[in-house]
Amino acid sequence: MTLSNIIRIDGYIQSSYLAVYPDKLLLLDGCCRADVPIVLRYIKNTLQRPISDLKVVMVTHMHPDHAGGAHKLREATGCLVVSADKPKQWYAGIGGQMMHLVDIGLAHYVANRQNRPFKKLWYSAHLQADIKVSDGESIPEFEDWQVLETPGHTDRDLSLYHLPTRQVYIADLIIKLRHKFVAPFPIYDPKSYINSLQKIKNLNPTKVMMAHGRELAIEDATFDMLIVQAPKEPRTVKDTIKHKLRGKKSNFSEY
């Protein structure tokens, strides 16, 4: 069956994208915990489909607005949860548990900046994926989608490329902030991040779907600008605290 449509659903603090087929559905990211009822209502009420039609939920990386709803969506629908093939959990160890708490706090911060009402965002720090995928592989049950590893924001970021239409979902690789395109926060590996931008540019996609933004055609000049302006050093919460202590402006203050 061929793809019928890709629908953008406005989530709590991000856009979620649902790939619609006549006989199945694919959610391109695991969204926030607060978005689970929104997605399920959309399937039942707007599409008038059984929620069991949701066959796969991708998790592009482990942040609260990309992984937070995955387990609950699986509980509700029986879908497969698919993520990057990495040997360790992103939030591994005591340091990882602390980072998990910080990231949930940052998600609440973004929600507050967007004047969103308070919602529960807690989710497991450890993702229990049904299937793990690597660069160049197809999404299980959706052979027309190719998985692309695009790290930098974290070590396991995935982008999802629809081969027939050349549309690509890039999660947090690029943020559309008001009237400009910017790099995400955090960036753990600047070199990998720049390589990931170049990788998506080289696809010459017809449309780029952003989690923080919309679906847009992005010109080569914009990719080139982002590559030139990309951070040359890691930009994390730890670095932000150091800058604050030194009286420098935090990069995160833009968000």
Side-chain angles (χ1 to χ4, degrees):
M1 292 285 186
T2 57
L3 176 70
S4 300
N5 197 8
I6 301 175
I7 297 164
R8 180 174 51 82
I9 300 173
D10 290 328
Y12 184 53
I13 59 172
Q14 85 296 325
S15 296
S16 298
Y17 295 87
L18 186 68
V20 179
Y21 294 74
D23 60 338
K24 57 188 177 181
L25 303 169
L26 162 67
L27 191 64
L28 299 186
D29 226 338
C31 60
C32 287
R33 172 180 172 170
D35 297 323
V36 171
I38 296 172
V39 172
L40 296 180
R41 280 197 303 268
Y42 190 91
I43 294 171
K44 290 188 292 185
N45 299 338
T46 304
L47 296 181
Q48 297 188 330
R49 303 267 293 264
I51 59 174
S52 58
D53 276 5
L54 182 63
K55 300 303 181 184
V56 172
V57 171
M58 295 298 301
V59 173
T60 62
H61 60 289
M62 278 302 296
H63 288 156
D65 49 339
H66 298 269
H71 287 170
K72 288 190 174 296
L73 285 166
R74 179 170 58 194
E75 290 173 10
T77 69
C79 68
L80 296 173
V81 172
V82 181
S83 69
D85 188 6
K86 294 294 179 181
K88 293 197 310 182
Q89 292 282 344
W90 174 245
Y91 296 119
I94 295 175
Q97 293 289 334
M98 293 299 295
M99 187 164 62
H100 180 243
L101 294 174
V102 168
D103 287 343
I104 291 175
L106 289 175
H108 282 297
Y109 169 84
V110 172
N112 184 63
R113 289 289 296 266
Q114 295 179 3
N115 296 315
R116 304 291 190 187
F118 180 84
K119 299 281 187 179
K120 292 181 180 179
L121 298 181
W122 180 263
Y123 67 110
S124 174
H126 288 179
L127 183 72
Q128 303 301 322
D130 298 294
I131 299 175
K132 295 181 179 181
V133 289
S134 299
D135 190 65
E137 294 184 354
S138 298
I139 296 178
E141 301 193 28
F142 294 88
E143 297 299 314
D144 49 338
W145 287 88
Q146 185 181 48
V147 173
L148 302 173
E149 294 179 359
T150 51
H153 178 48
T154 72
D155 71 341
R156 63 199 62 212
D157 304 271
L158 298 178
S159 293
L160 309 172
Y161 185 48
H162 187 244
L163 294 163
T165 62
R166 294 180 25 241
Q167 299 178 81
V168 62
Y169 172 66
I170 62 168
D172 284 355
L173 184 67
I174 301 172
I175 306 294
K176 181 67 161 54
L177 186 65
R178 294 181 284 276
H179 301 296
K180 62 180 179 178
F181 295 97
V182 298
F185 180 91
I187 290 180
Y188 283 86
D189 187 338
K191 184 176 180 180
S192 292
Y193 176 69
I194 290 170
N195 290 339
S196 295
L197 287 171
Q198 187 67 51
K199 186 174 188 174
I200 298 300
K201 177 192 171 183
N202 290 345
L203 294 174
N204 192 26
T206 57
K207 192 176 292 183
V208 175
M209 294 170 278
M210 294 172 284
H212 299 279
R214 301 176 64 91
E215 59 279 25
L216 297 168
I218 298 182
E219 298 178 351
D220 285 354
T222 300
F223 280 105
D224 292 338
M225 177 272 294
L226 287 164
I227 289 169
V228 169
Q229 296 183 1
K232 304 304 185 289
E233 297 179 354
R235 194 176 74 174
T236 67
V237 171
K238 184 186 296 184
D239 300 310
T240 298
I241 293 171
K242 288 180 181 177
H243 287 163
K244 287 285 189 182
L245 293 175
R246 294 171 183 170
K248 296 181 179 180
K249 182 180 178 181
S250 164
N251 288 299
F252 188 67
S253 63
E254 293 181 330
Y255 289 80

